[in-house]
Amino acid sequence: MKFAKEIRVGNIIMVEDKPFIVLRSDVNGSSRTGFTYKWKMKNLLTNAPLENVFRGDDKFDVVVLDKKPVTYSYFADPLYVFMDEEYNQYEIEEENMGDAINYLKDGMECEAVFYDGKAISVELPTTIARQVVYSEPAVKGNTSGNVLKEAKIENAIEAKQHIVMVPLFVSTDDTIEIDTRTNEYKRVVRN
């Protein structure tokens, strides 16, 4: 059992004997009055959405799910198809993908997460390298402090091109390392 204050986005919890994935968590309150947690969740069995508010000391069973290494194959709107080493295909719905959509690339290795034998989401490596497909050139004189600019990174689905904030010296065609948990630039990868 875990307290509500220990539950994070992506955790699977049991609410009224049904498994829910926490999609979003908003915290309100103060240390004096106590914190409340407003969660946007989805039932893993029926895909029904649920929003609810819990106190920080409410307790939940956290479900530990099975994981299996898979490779991203293709997008069959609205499903993302992954394949394991035995060529079994697993389809995962777009809404279950979370931020993983931003970093998918053909042939990318990740882990499928299973509940009751059904693939429900994927987990990416914590650090990935992606090529910058577009970034504005740095403006001369705009270098005081830690100035960042937007950079579009490559991924499998062009309509889902993702933006990462990078330092001014990063340019188009550079390969950068990104932390997938925080969506933060880490460094430029030199060959």
Side-chain angles (χ1 to χ4, degrees), residues 102-103 151-155 158 160-164 183:
N102 301 328
Y103 304 107
K152 284 186 183 175
I153 60 168
E154 66 174 335
N155 65 1
E158 203 168 306
K160 306 263 185 224
Q161 269 191 338
H162 189 58
I163 293 176
V164 176
N183 189 41

Side-chain angles (χ1 to χ4, degrees), residues 52-174:
N52 215 333
V53 177
F54 301 98
R55 292 188 329 266
D57 57 354
D58 289 343
K59 287 188 169 184
F60 297 92
D61 280 326
V62 176
V63 179
V64 178
L65 302 171
D66 296 328
K67 296 180 183 177
K68 178 189 261 189
V70 293
T71 303
Y72 174 66
S73 293
Y74 60 92
F75 176 62
D77 199 2
L79 301 172
Y80 290 82
V81 182
F82 296 83
M83 191 178 297
D84 66 12
E85 58 191 19
E86 295 152 4
Y87 302 106
N88 297 318
Q89 289 190 353
Y90 304 101
E91 297 175 338
I92 300 174
E93 295 158 1
E94 184 169 346
E95 63 219 28
N96 293 353
M97 293 292 294
D99 289 340
I101 290 174
N102 301 328
Y103 304 107
L104 280 183
K105 192 174 167 186
D106 292 336
M108 179 179 180
E109 293 182 8
C110 46
E111 283 190 322
V113 179
F114 292 85
Y115 179 77
D116 263 359
K118 180 181 186 269
I120 57 169
S121 69
V122 294
E123 288 186 3
L124 300 178
T126 54
T127 304
I128 60 167
R130 288 291 177 267
Q131 185 176 8
V132 175
V133 292
Y134 180 76
S135 181
E136 292 285 335
V139 178
K140 191 172 184 177
N142 191 10
T143 56
S144 63
N146 189 9
V147 181
L148 300 175
K149 64 179 180 177
E150 293 182 350
K152 284 186 183 175
I153 60 168
E154 66 174 335
N155 65 1
I157 300 152
E158 203 168 306
K160 306 263 185 224
Q161 269 191 338
H162 189 58
I163 293 176
V164 176
M165 299 305 288
V166 298
L168 292 177
F169 60 82
V170 174
S171 59
T172 303
D173 295 330
D174 280 351

